[in-house]
Amino acid sequence: MRRRAYGVSVVVAAVLASAGCSSKYADDSGSSGTAAVGNRSVEPVDGCGKSSWTDPADLSPTRTPARCRPGTPAPQLLPKTRKVTIATGTLSAEYVAPLEVALDKGEFKKEGLDVTLKVLPTPDALPLLAKGDIDAMWAAPEAAVMNGVEGGFDIKWVAGNFSPDPKSKSGLWVKLKKGEAAADVRMAGRRMGTMIGKGSVIAYPMEKALAIHGGGLDKIQYQQLGSADVLTALQNGGVDSAWLLDPVWRKVDGNPAYAFLGGQPLGEPLGGMLYGRSLLHDDVDAGVALLRAYIRTVNTYFAGDYKSDPSFVTYLAKLLKTDEAVLKSTPSLLMDWEIRAGTTTRLQAAYKAAGVSKGAALPESRTVDRSLYEEAVGHQP
């Protein structure tokens, strides 16, 4: 983990040097994280009323996500076509579907945006976003992102992506020992298989699940495995617990030899859209337009249980290049463009517990900017 931390520091230093950045932050002036839009006028938006915004402090797991009417907020064509590149770690995962549908249905084009989705893992995309070589990341505020912001990257989390359906069991699974029941599993000292490292946002829900069962991020052993190997290792005894994603957990669900201990918190997105300077400061109109198209796509195609429509599932499976039966085997995601209060603080606490970050947590004013999606739906704070 020391090598990883050192690598992040080197990348930060290199980008700052090449971009000519100073250590002076936009928020040093005392702003609350909305300096990107300054005194922009926020007008009411047809189709987006009270239901289009929820109080960020509402952490209820049963919170109804914000919604506008289908087809809204209506597009506002930019005076000149703007090319936008969004980095994403994959194009086949379901959580990327709103971006792919927006592209396929022409929602970005209606805003005057020429969008390219570029497959890049976060460590590769992060310095490019900081330098302005790409405009946005569809990712998460992982430890590498937080360390980058601490080092001077002008990057903020500007929109959420999803939270799980209450019926989902994507998360921490354990193979029960003889005579053991799910309620009395003790996780300290167990070996966990995961394809996601300690610096992932999954550290936060993992820490919560471990704490309930006498463990902790510093009390378990990790074995990082490829996506195809995690389940095999759990079944064969190579590891005795694993973080299983959709739809892999269906392979052990219902088997009394395994127990589900917990997953991502309900009602709290842990990822979504991250912007760099180009959309936070240089071209805020394009930044708002991009979120407007995304939000409109959610309201039109993903507002509820989108998998209840067989024809849409067929369309989505083809678009994501995935098996339709596999797509139907798990509940619909609860698509949610909003960001809950304190999420990045809780994430940073988990990163510190996992040993991938040090020092005091960055304040939310340095990590989050809700003003762009609020403008897109016409909400005035």
Side-chain angles (χ1 to χ4, degrees), residues 174-224:
V174 63
K175 192 171 187 177
L176 299 173
K177 298 177 181 178
K178 187 176 181 179
E180 194 173 46
D184 59 17
V185 170
R186 310 306 289 172
M187 287 298 296
R190 301 215 185 193
R191 181 177 293 277
M192 177 184 293
T194 175
M195 65 177 188
I196 303 165
K198 292 182 182 181
S200 164
V201 292
I202 299 302
Y204 160 44
M206 189 183 293
E207 183 182 41
K208 292 184 67 175
L210 288 170
I212 297 170
H213 296 278
L217 294 174
D218 58 343
K219 296 179 181 179
I220 60 171
Q221 301 174 52
Y222 293 87
Q223 185 169 335
Q224 197 156 352

Side-chain angles (χ1 to χ4, degrees), residues 223-246:
Q223 185 169 335
Q224 197 156 352
L225 301 165
S227 59
D229 301 322
V230 174
L231 178 61
T232 301
L234 179 64
Q235 293 172 323
N236 294 344
V239 297
D240 47 22
S241 63
W243 192 271
L244 302 180
L245 303 176
D246 286 335

Side-chain angles (χ1 to χ4, degrees), residues 59-61 63 157 161-164 204 208 264-271 336 338-344 346-347:
L59 301 179
S60 168
R63 174 184 61 88
W157 185 18
N161 52 7
F162 75 93
S163 61
Y204 160 44
K208 292 184 67 175
Q264 178 177 331
L266 300 179
E268 184 176 12
L270 299 182
D336 188 353
E338 294 188 308
I339 300 170
R340 299 296 87 198
T343 296
T344 57
R346 292 184 286 277
L347 287 171

Side-chain angles (χ1 to χ4, degrees), residues 3-143:
R3 286 195 301 270
R4 180 180 177 86
Y6 173 75
V8 171
S9 299
V10 170
V11 170
V12 170
V15 172
L16 289 177
S18 65
C21 297
S22 72
S23 60
K24 179 73 174 175
Y25 299 104
D27 291 308
D28 287 347
S29 62
S31 76
S32 61
T34 59
V37 293
N39 296 317
R40 292 171 63 89
S41 175
V42 178
E43 304 294 337
V45 173
D46 288 343
C48 295
K50 290 183 178 180
S51 65
S52 67
W53 183 86
T54 66
D55 183 353
D58 183 358
L59 301 179
S60 168
T62 58
R63 174 184 61 88
T64 301
R67 292 290 183 260
C68 302
R69 291 201 303 264
T72 62
Q76 299 179 30
L77 188 65
L78 295 170
K80 183 179 180 181
T81 299
R82 170 68 151 81
K83 290 183 179 294
V84 173
T85 300
I86 306 171
T88 175
T90 178
L91 290 174
S92 60
E94 191 174 336
Y95 66 85
V96 189
L99 296 189
E100 296 200 65
V101 170
L103 193 60
D104 187 64
K105 298 289 187 180
E107 298 297 344
F108 293 130
K109 188 175 181 180
K110 293 174 186 176
E111 300 283 352
L113 299 172
D114 180 5
V115 171
T116 298
L117 300 180
K118 188 178 183 66
V119 177
L120 280 174
T122 295
D124 295 337
L126 192 57
L128 298 179
L129 182 64
K131 289 191 295 183
D133 291 345
I134 60 173
D135 302 287
M137 285 170 49
W138 188 249
E142 298 176 349

Side-chain angles (χ1 to χ4, degrees), residues 308-325:
S308 64
D309 181 350
S311 62
F312 186 70
V313 173
T314 300
Y315 162 75
L316 206 57
K318 184 177 180 181
L319 191 65
L320 297 176
K321 296 181 174 61
T322 191
D323 184 85
E324 187 173 341

